[in-house]
Amino acid sequence: MHTQRDSLAAATIGMERMELDQDAAQRRRCTGIAGRHATTAAELAHARLKTLILDNGLPPGSQCLESELALRLGLSRTPIREALVRLQQDGLVAITPRHGMRVLPLIAADMREIYEVLTSLEPMAAELLARRPDPSAGLEPLEAACSAMERAIAAREQLAWARADEAFHLGLAELCGNRRLAGMVMQVWEQSHRARIFTLQQRPLPTRSTTEHRHVLRAIAAGDAERARELYRRHRRRSGGELVSIIERSGVAWL
Amino acid sequence: MHTQRDSLAAATIGMERMELDQDAAQRRRCTGIAGRHATTAAELAHARLKTLILDNGLPPGSQCLESELALRLGLSRTPIREALVRLQQDGLVAITPRHGMRVLPLIAADMREIYEVLTSLEPMAAELLARRPDPSAGLEPLEAACSAMERAIAAREQLAWARADEAFHLGLAELCGNRRLAGMVMQVWEQSHRARIFTLQQRPLPTRSTTEHRHVLRAIAAGDAERARELYRRHRRRSGGELVSIIERSGVAWL
DNA sequence: ATCCTCAACAATGCATACGCAAAGGGATTC
DNA sequence: GAATCCCTTTGCGTATGCATTGTTGAGGAT
């Protein structure tokens, strides 16, 4: 059943495995807002379902009844319901009474919305980082992510690049010190995960993005808040636009 | 115990009723994301609890057990639990096992976070509005809100001004066409509701804010996206900073 | 042939029941 | 008198049952 769904989805949008690798799922489960070790069954259900959805184990558009999911996860309906409520607020599924949950597909308009949100939030994060008393302190994770991106470009390894890109963006959001902002970035980042993995295979190596990241990081370390913000905003506008047009040109109706 | 907590909180921050008026609660219940007519008991519980919290019926810091709330709303624990999960994701309460839910107090740091988020999101909304093909179309709600603010300033009616301010900001977020952005603005707006009402009584009439709103609206109608964004960003930075320092100077530890 | 109506079924939303684990209180000991 | 340990109570997490409600399919009528 699993594999059937997987292969169906893979055929539809033309890819084998959407997830970067197993580690990525693992990492998300640990670093993400949701999966703090999952002490309770409801948390566990939330984390597992989220992982399933992000990794295309439950492809977009698929419908599942509460009882199906309960059976599948070996739980009763109660914790499943709680997990579904949370997934709904995460913007990953819609709950339609009598039809179970539906994994929300992403259309180009969603990606446009998401990139507009990131275009406003992330430059603010960069600005906040740059405005700290010691702006160059604590940037090691971002430095590491930048270097990893550069290495990945040199080695032409797209998956490694995507991992480093994720590390940079989420790291920046978390480091900026604004937990609400970080949560919002994380939320839309997860929503757009499938689309990002998809476009990764449809476009040339993101050389330009890599250098832009490096420049933003330099501006932050130099404490030039205005410059960091503006550089980041332009980066987001450009890359978001590119990504949306890749999706539109690729002809897939949704991801 | 309840009333004891209530009066304690009221005494601490020196006000009887935080809500603007009954209509405001009513309006929020209808326009808000949450309260779409509340067909199900869980939605109803969510809407009623949110209203209670925002209007200080459940003052910040108060703890309630699930069973208390169930008794109070005349429901069983099940829909209450679902409502609490949603309120937690709304950032209004924290759920601490064995101690029930706790209404999250706002400290100055929270307000800073919230204003940083608004400072990034709302200028984007203005920019998006200004970039529409016909930028001056559909701005009537914002025009009305601006006029209402100006009338309120002339009549020195702070509550009316706050209502109009809310109408302007939420209207702008909803009109911009980005539902994710609108949802995020709404979320932090609700989180900061109590603090906004509080500071309203602690500061002079917001004459400057009113004219700034008008200028932003003009820039939008003129289709000058860059100007609209920048004007709005400066407005938010200034007013957010003012609000935070009012709270800090007022000496209240939390709201 | 198509549309409408009615009935049966199925999924959900809610209430309730149960077991576990933690917190608080009381008692005992040092 | 204080601290620690044990017991009791109680709140929560989960499961399950029931009733409501919407959906779907079949049959009849136009």
Side-chain angles (χ1 to χ4, degrees):
Chain A
M1 179 185 183
H2 244 224
T3 43
Q4 189 188 354
R5 274 234 161 89
D6 274 18
S7 55
L8 175 69
T12 310
I13 49 182
M15 70 187 75
E16 323 283 299
R17 226 32 246 142
M18 291 198 83
E19 186 42 60
L20 306 184
D21 56 10
Q22 289 308 98
D23 296 15
Q26 191 68 31
R27 212 171 337 108
R28 187 171 43 250
R29 216 172 294 120
C30 296
T31 60
I33 296 171
R36 279 225 174 281
H37 263 301
T39 117
T40 162
E43 278 176 54
L44 188 116
H46 181 233
R48 285 187 61 187
L49 288 176
K50 183 186 274 188
T51 303
L52 268 177
I53 292 170
L54 293 187
D55 300 352
N56 237 31
L58 284 170
S62 50
Q63 304 235 120
C64 288
L65 296 176
E66 290 181 0
S67 20
E68 289 179 43
L69 295 172
L71 196 68
R72 186 163 172 174
L73 300 192
L75 297 167
S76 89
R77 277 178 46 222
T78 309
I80 298 290
R81 272 184 72 82
E82 186 167 329
L84 289 185
V85 169
R86 295 168 71 166
L87 287 172
Q88 189 179 31
Q89 293 216 349
D90 291 339
L92 293 176
V93 311
I95 297 178
T96 55
R98 314 274 156 190
H99 293 278
M101 65 145 235
R102 184 172 48 93
V103 178
L104 284 178
L106 279 172
I107 61 177
D110 291 298
M111 290 308 297
R112 193 183 50 86
E113 283 201 10
I114 288 170
Y115 273 88
E116 284 167 3
V117 166
L118 288 178
T119 302
S120 28
L121 290 179
E122 292 194 325
M124 172 60 86
E127 180 179 348
L128 291 174
L129 267 175
R131 280 196 197 286
R132 291 173 307 157
D134 184 357
S136 62
L139 297 182
E140 295 79 12
L142 304 186
E143 291 280 357
C146 266
S147 304
M149 269 187 270
E150 286 152 2
R151 279 196 308 273
I153 290 288
R156 315 186 77 75
E157 289 177 358
Q158 294 177 314
L159 294 185
W161 184 86
R163 271 202 301 275
D165 184 51
E166 174 167 310
F168 185 89
H169 286 278
L170 297 188
L172 186 118
E174 275 171 18
L175 285 176
C176 83
N178 186 322
R179 300 182 66 84
R180 285 172 173 85
L181 193 153
M184 290 172 174
V185 168
M186 177 86 74
Q187 188 181 338
V188 292
W189 188 270
E190 285 177 345
Q191 286 176 15
S192 59
H193 177 78
R194 293 191 309 255
R196 215 168 24 254
I197 301 299
F198 171 71
T199 53
L200 196 64
Q201 307 165 339
Q202 310 278 322
R203 67 170 178 180
L205 278 172
T207 314
R208 183 156 170 195
S209 275
T210 305
T211 61
E212 285 176 351
H213 285 115
R214 178 63 79 183
H215 290 150
V216 169
L217 189 50
R218 284 220 189 91
I220 292 174
D224 191 342
E226 303 286 323
R227 180 173 162 80
R229 186 184 73 229
E230 275 307 306
L231 280 178
Y232 211 147
R233 202 168 66 81
R234 288 206 203 112
H235 164 61
R236 263 290 168 235
R237 282 186 65 132
R238 183 192 60 72
S239 69
E242 272 184 14
L243 197 136
V244 168
S245 63
I246 287 173
I247 292 178
E248 280 170 347
R249 264 185 280 123
S250 78
V252 298
W254 42 261
L255 287 172
Chain B
M1 178 191 184
H2 250 219
T3 42
Q4 189 187 354
R5 276 231 162 91
D6 274 17
S7 54
L8 175 67
T12 308
I13 50 183
M15 71 188 77
E16 320 284 298
R17 272 308 312 134
M18 291 197 83
E19 186 43 62
L20 306 184
D21 56 9
Q22 287 308 98
D23 295 14
Q26 189 68 32
R27 213 172 333 108
R28 186 172 44 248
R29 214 173 295 123
C30 296
T31 60
I33 294 171
R36 279 232 174 276
H37 264 303
T39 118
T40 161
E43 281 177 51
L44 188 116
H46 181 233
R48 285 186 61 187
L49 287 177
K50 184 186 275 188
T51 304
L52 266 177
I53 292 170
L54 294 186
D55 300 354
N56 238 31
L58 283 170
S62 48
Q63 306 234 81
C64 288
L65 298 176
E66 291 181 359
S67 22
E68 288 179 43
L69 295 172
L71 197 68
R72 184 161 172 176
L73 300 192
L75 297 166
S76 89
R77 275 180 48 223
T78 308
I80 298 290
R81 270 185 72 83
E82 186 168 330
L84 289 186
V85 169
R86 295 169 70 167
L87 286 172
Q88 190 179 28
Q89 292 218 350
D90 292 339
L92 293 176
V93 311
I95 297 178
T96 57
R98 313 275 154 190
H99 294 278
M101 66 148 234
R102 184 172 48 93
V103 178
L104 284 178
L106 279 171
I107 62 177
D110 291 298
M111 291 308 296
R112 189 172 296 121
E113 284 201 12
I114 287 169
Y115 273 88
E116 284 166 3
V117 166
L118 289 178
T119 302
S120 25
L121 290 179
E122 292 194 325
M124 173 60 85
E127 179 178 349
L128 291 174
L129 267 175
R131 281 197 197 284
R132 291 173 307 156
D134 184 357
S136 62
L139 298 181
E140 296 79 12
L142 304 185
E143 291 280 357
C146 266
S147 305
M149 268 186 271
E150 285 153 3
R151 280 196 307 274
I153 290 288
R156 318 187 75 77
E157 288 177 359
Q158 294 177 313
L159 294 186
W161 184 88
R163 272 202 300 275
D165 184 51
E166 174 167 311
F168 185 89
H169 287 276
L170 297 188
L172 186 117
E174 275 170 18
L175 286 176
C176 82
N178 187 321
R179 300 181 66 83
R180 285 172 173 84
L181 192 153
M184 290 171 173
V185 168
M186 177 85 74
Q187 187 180 336
V188 291
W189 188 270
E190 285 177 345
Q191 286 177 14
S192 59
H193 177 78
R194 293 191 308 255
R196 218 167 23 253
I197 300 300
F198 171 71
T199 52
L200 196 64
Q201 308 164 341
Q202 310 278 323
R203 67 171 179 180
L205 278 172
T207 314
R208 183 156 170 193
S209 275
T210 306
T211 62
E212 285 176 351
H213 284 116
R214 179 61 81 183
H215 290 150
V216 170
L217 190 50
R218 283 219 189 92
I220 292 174
D224 190 343
E226 302 286 325
R227 181 173 162 78
R229 186 185 74 230
E230 275 308 306
L231 280 177
Y232 211 146
R233 202 169 66 81
R234 288 207 203 111
H235 163 61
R236 263 289 166 236
R237 281 185 65 131
R238 183 192 58 74
S239 68
E242 273 184 13
L243 198 136
V244 169
S245 62
I246 286 173
I247 292 178
E248 280 171 347
R249 263 184 281 123
S250 79
V252 298
W254 43 262
L255 287 172

